[in-house]
Amino acid sequence: MAMVTVFRASISRSLPTSFPNLLSSSSNRNSIPKKHRLLCYAASSQTKTIRSEVSFCIGTHLIPHPKKVERGGEDAFLVSDYNGGVIAVADGVSGWAEQNVDPSLFPQELMANASCLVEDEEVNYDPQILIRKAHAATSAVGSATVIVAMLETNGTLKIANVGDCGLRAIRGDRIIFSTSPQEHYFDCPYQLSSEMVGQTYLDAVVSRVEVMEGDTIVMGSDGLFDNVFDHEIVSTVAGHGDVAAAGIS
Amino acid sequence: MAMVTVFRASISRSLPTSFPNLLSSSSNRNSIPKKHRLLCYAASSQTKTIRSEVSFCIGTHLIPHPKKVERGGEDAFLVSDYNGGVIAVADGVSGWAEQNVDPSLFPQELMANASCLVEDEEVNYDPQILIRKAHAATSAVGSATVIVAMLETNGTLKIANVGDCGLRAIRGDRIIFSTSPQEHYFDCPYQLSSEMVGQTYLDAVVSRVEVMEGDTIVMGSDGLFDNVFDHEIVSTVAGHGDVAAAGIS
């Protein structure tokens, strides 16, 4: 994989209401007895209000592989504000270059198709079906890993993942949810392909996580997660409040 | 935390149908070109059949902390065959012993309550609501981390997690899904408590993953995941086909 594609999406609420600081429970760390001495004195969450509608606030950042800067790398992505928001990354398999095939064409077409299908009735806001239909509509030769995340306005983040792209959901200073990469073996991820030998939407790992206002979603290709530790992602996110402006630096 | 509680649950299908070997795609590893040379020649999954009803086949294994063997440790668990199956672990916070409180009582009552509430109409097969009602019904003094997983017969595994218990979903030789532990800081996990200072069901991380026949679910307290690497869990699971008989050795 050739490029780091990073989505950093924070969850915002359409109706502002009182909400406790998600970091407050760890802010008085030094005064809290250790677990092995007694339980934690952390703020109760019973004052939390019922969620109203939430949606993404999205920023993106691309870092092409140094050797592939000229043609822009082999990643493609999709951003949509439909419903609570849709984000997706497709990462072209570089081996196609040896067959005189531009590895970026397949993921670009995949994301273009997905963009057109986001509101499709048959897709029905299901990321796995979006992958199926976007893949079926490709004509380019090549293959790509792909991850799609769709946010329902009630806070349900629905994810379908084929290969070694990834997603982290971060709440305060903690990762609450991670995807797991799918590889056949080292450096050979599950991938959608123009050929019959690849995987399909049926191979996607399909998962959901309930997110809330203030959470941050980081989505990227393996170029991010192979090179940046999770704790570095968390600390970087914590240091940059403005998602749309910051990206990952 | 004092004890390792491990659930190992494999997913079985009530109506046997043809199904490709989940490991087949990596069985001819040596003959597959590396990704950076070309795409993978792995078996297509397009021959997969539509899922019929699935359910758990469950085995359990307890290893009390050596210092706490006499009173059986501080973990409690729940197994139910309701719907596709329900498994849960609660891990008592040991610090209560210094207050002359038996740390095992609270998690035991929590799991006993949950066991009675599994089929509750208001719970409606929602693991987060099960945690809410089981917690509300406790009278013991103490606190515990807790994780609950409920399998729908269509293959949706619904998870609610407060603290540092964990769950892994394993497909073939790969982890397809992991929970993330929730801690205030090192060794101080999120926990349900008899006191107002603890967390509640609202602090649970709620997630779902779509599983299929042949998948293995490993659930345990932090005593497992703090001491056994994921790759060791995967290799142990791969070496023991009979879930109910094997446990984790």
Side-chain angles (χ1 to χ4, degrees):
Chain A
M1 301 300 162
M3 185 197 284
V4 179
T5 300
V6 176
F7 283 107
R8 182 180 161 193
S10 68
I11 312 298
S12 61
R13 186 199 299 255
S14 52
L15 298 174
T17 61
S18 65
F19 207 82
N21 182 348
L22 286 165
L23 289 170
S24 64
S25 61
S26 60
S27 61
N28 54 343
R29 172 175 304 194
N30 293 334
S31 65
I32 300 176
K34 293 279 187 185
K35 166 191 155 196
H36 65 270
R37 287 194 239 132
L38 196 61
L39 80 169
C40 301
Y41 289 92
S44 167
S45 61
Q46 289 176 322
T47 58
K48 278 178 186 166
T49 52
I50 302 299
R51 277 191 303 231
S52 50
E53 291 197 348
V54 295
S55 61
F56 278 143
C57 171
I58 300 174
T60 64
H61 199 73
L62 295 174
I63 308 172
H65 189 287
K67 294 180 180 172
K68 299 167 183 173
V69 169
E70 285 188 12
R71 67 167 187 264
E74 292 152 357
D75 280 7
F77 65 88
L78 153 68
V79 172
S80 164
D81 62 1
Y82 180 61
N83 209 335
V86 180
I87 55 179
V89 173
D91 184 356
V93 172
S94 55
W96 285 97
E98 296 176 17
Q99 312 293 312
N100 293 320
V101 172
D102 181 348
S104 68
L105 297 181
F106 184 86
Q108 285 174 9
E109 189 184 18
L110 191 68
M111 290 292 95
N113 293 345
S115 179
C116 296
L117 289 161
V118 159
E119 302 185 28
D120 183 82
E121 193 172 342
E122 194 180 3
V123 168
N124 193 29
Y125 214 61
D126 180 328
Q128 190 176 25
I129 304 302
L130 182 62
I131 287 175
R132 173 173 71 81
K133 294 197 72 167
H135 185 196
T138 54
S139 57
V141 174
S143 60
T145 64
V146 62
I147 186 167
V148 178
M150 295 174 137
L151 181 64
E152 302 267 17
T153 55
N154 67 358
T156 300
L157 185 66
K158 307 192 295 190
I159 303 147
N161 186 26
V162 180
D164 58 5
C165 292
L167 180 148
R168 304 286 182 270
I170 300 168
R171 183 167 299 164
D173 57 357
R174 290 176 294 276
I175 287 180
I176 63 161
F177 179 89
S178 299
T179 56
S180 299
Q182 298 302 101
E183 291 186 328
H184 296 293
Y185 52 88
F186 176 70
D187 209 25
C188 181
Y190 277 34
Q191 58 201 268
L192 303 181
S193 175
S194 57
E195 313 304 307
M196 286 296 289
V197 295
Q199 282 67 60
T200 77
Y201 73 103
L202 290 169
D203 297 293
V205 175
V206 178
S207 56
R208 296 180 177 208
V209 60
E210 299 299 319
V211 296
M212 57 176 65
E213 184 191 16
D215 289 351
T216 297
I217 310 301
V218 175
M219 173 187 280
S221 60
D222 65 333
L224 172 66
F225 300 107
D226 285 352
N227 293 293
V228 186
F229 287 113
D230 279 355
H231 69 84
E232 294 173 321
I233 294 174
V234 169
S235 62
T236 303
V237 164
H240 296 82
D242 186 348
V243 166
I248 298 285
S249 58
Chain B
M1 301 299 162
M3 186 198 283
V4 179
T5 300
V6 176
F7 283 107
R8 182 181 161 192
S10 68
I11 312 299
S12 61
R13 185 199 300 254
S14 53
L15 298 175
T17 61
S18 65
F19 206 83
N21 181 348
L22 287 165
L23 289 170
S24 64
S25 61
S26 59
S27 60
N28 55 343
R29 171 175 305 194
N30 293 334
S31 65
I32 300 176
K34 293 280 186 184
K35 166 190 155 197
H36 64 271
R37 287 194 240 133
L38 195 60
L39 80 168
C40 301
Y41 288 92
S44 167
S45 61
Q46 288 176 322
T47 58
K48 278 178 186 165
T49 52
I50 301 299
R51 276 192 304 231
S52 50
E53 291 198 348
V54 295
S55 61
F56 278 143
C57 170
I58 300 174
T60 64
H61 200 73
L62 295 174
I63 308 172
H65 189 286
K67 294 180 180 173
K68 298 167 183 173
V69 169
E70 284 188 12
R71 68 167 186 263
E74 292 153 357
D75 280 8
F77 65 87
L78 153 68
V79 172
S80 164
D81 62 1
Y82 181 60
N83 208 335
V86 180
I87 54 179
V89 173
D91 184 356
V93 173
S94 55
W96 284 98
E98 296 177 18
Q99 312 293 311
N100 293 320
V101 171
D102 180 349
S104 68
L105 297 181
F106 184 86
Q108 285 173 9
E109 189 184 18
L110 191 68
M111 289 293 95
N113 293 344
S115 180
C116 296
L117 289 161
V118 159
E119 302 185 28
D120 183 83
E121 192 172 343
E122 194 180 2
V123 168
N124 194 29
Y125 215 62
D126 180 328
Q128 190 176 25
I129 304 302
L130 182 62
I131 287 175
R132 173 172 71 80
K133 294 198 71 168
H135 185 196
T138 53
S139 57
V141 174
S143 60
T145 63
V146 62
I147 186 167
V148 178
M150 295 174 138
L151 181 64
E152 303 267 17
T153 55
N154 67 358
T156 299
L157 184 66
K158 307 192 295 190
I159 302 147
N161 186 26
V162 180
D164 58 6
C165 292
L167 180 148
R168 305 285 182 270
I170 300 168
R171 182 166 300 164
D173 57 357
R174 291 176 293 276
I175 288 179
I176 63 161
F177 179 88
S178 300
T179 56
S180 299
Q182 297 302 101
E183 292 185 329
H184 297 294
Y185 52 88
F186 176 70
D187 209 26
C188 181
Y190 276 34
Q191 58 201 268
L192 303 181
S193 175
S194 57
E195 313 304 306
M196 286 296 289
V197 295
Q199 282 67 60
T200 76
Y201 73 104
L202 290 169
D203 296 293
V205 175
V206 178
S207 56
R208 297 181 177 208
V209 60
E210 299 299 319
V211 296
M212 57 175 65
E213 184 191 15
D215 289 352
T216 298
I217 310 301
V218 175
M219 172 187 281
S221 60
D222 64 333
L224 172 66
F225 300 106
D226 285 353
N227 293 292
V228 186
F229 287 112
D230 279 355
H231 69 85
E232 295 173 321
I233 294 174
V234 169
S235 61
T236 303
V237 164
H240 296 82
D242 186 348
V243 166
I248 298 285
S249 57

